[in-house]
Amino acid sequence: MGDLEPQLRAALRTAWQGATAEGTGLPQDAVGDATVRAELVYSVLRLFYDEAKFRTVGVAEEREELANLSSAARGYADRLFALRAPAAEPPADT
């Protein structure tokens, strides 16, 4: 228990390594890449939460814990997004 199947591990590793800011509109730097990876983490956890909530018979505690993890991952992604370089502010109307 606790080990991922090799195919799933390979798919997740490929997704992680391919998660870059290129083409996303985020800065093309370490912060942009980290933000994209954080979104990946959130998406995977949200998938598990949705499966537990809508498709799997289980206990409420399981759904609650997955919801907590999903919320924590969303906060993690939001904090990394906030680290990006601030966009240039438009000139003030005079």
Side-chain angles (χ1 to χ4, degrees):
M1 194 164 111
D3 288 339
L4 294 175
E5 293 180 17
Q7 298 90 344
L8 179 56
R9 180 180 295 280
L12 289 171
R13 181 177 294 122
T14 298
W16 180 269
Q17 292 170 349
T20 67
E22 185 176 343
T24 65
L26 292 169
Q28 304 293 304
D29 60 11
V31 172
D33 290 350
T35 301
V36 174
R37 289 191 300 268
E39 289 292 336
L40 174 65
V41 169
Y42 169 72
S43 295
V44 169
L45 289 173
R46 185 63 197 210
L47 169 72
F48 292 144
Y49 169 73
D50 288 346
E51 288 296 316
K53 183 174 182 180
F54 300 114
R55 295 177 190 82
T56 306
V57 176
V59 296
E61 290 80 8
E62 177 184 31
R63 288 186 299 278
E64 184 177 324
E65 289 302 320
L66 285 168
N68 291 339
L69 284 171
S70 182
S71 285
R74 176 75 265 152
Y76 162 61
D78 290 345
R79 285 187 301 277
L80 285 175
F81 183 75
L83 293 176
R84 73 195 187 292
E89 295 196 21
D93 289 335
T94 56

